[in-house]
Amino acid sequence: VFLALGWACWKTYLGRPEPGVRASGMGVLGRGLINSRPAEGVSVLEANLALVKRYSDSKANRRNTLVLQANLANCLVNVGRQDEALALRRGIHAECVALNGVSHEATISAGSNLAISLDCAGLWDESQSLIRNQLLPAARPLLGADHRLTLTLSQNLVGVLLGNPKRTRDDLLEGEIIMQDVVQ
């Protein structure tokens, strides 16, 4: 359904002279392609990102650009271009920190996506450090221990601890304790 809506938006707004309207149609189409046809989605999302960057400079549009970049990173992951997605997610997180500070839900969410990419790239120590030293300390007081994002970060930390081939017995015990806290 989302893909059909995306194609309809694209056909409707293609000939419009306003770049914002065209960009909206391209954005909907790109999001529809992320999971169903990611190779095509990459092309659409890259073109959409270029269009938005060309015609916008405001702070609100910087936030919109971050969302578009996040969609592109997700699409890149789906086509196996992990290194490009990791580089993009590093930039997204850095920009979120610059725009919003560390203790903001959008920054924490971008950091969570970065931590997942780091884990997938085998950069377990960096992922663990990001979650443990920056994301969880920001998420707990801001969102609360029972918030979906805080719980996801805890679960991701356990995944990093257990996925690291250099894990120690202490890492396994810490993972068990964290999961017990999450379940309760």
Side-chain angles (χ1 to χ4, degrees), residues 96-97 100-108 134-135 137-139 141-143:
C96 282
V97 170
N100 308 314
V102 177
S103 293
H104 189 279
E105 187 170 356
T107 303
I108 297 166
Q134 185 178 348
L135 301 176
L142 179 70
L143 305 171

Side-chain angles (χ1 to χ4, degrees), residues 88-140:
L88 197 51
R89 285 181 171 161
R90 283 185 192 276
I92 292 166
H93 183 249
E95 182 73 14
C96 282
V97 170
L99 276 174
N100 308 314
V102 177
S103 293
H104 189 279
E105 187 170 356
T107 303
I108 297 166
S109 181
S112 178
N113 290 333
L114 174 57
I116 291 167
S117 285
L118 291 166
D119 182 33
C120 290
L123 300 169
W124 299 286
D125 293 338
E126 188 177 349
S127 180
Q128 180 180 331
S129 176
L130 177 64
I131 296 170
R132 179 180 279 140
N133 300 329
Q134 185 178 348
L135 301 176
L136 279 172
R140 285 186 183 119

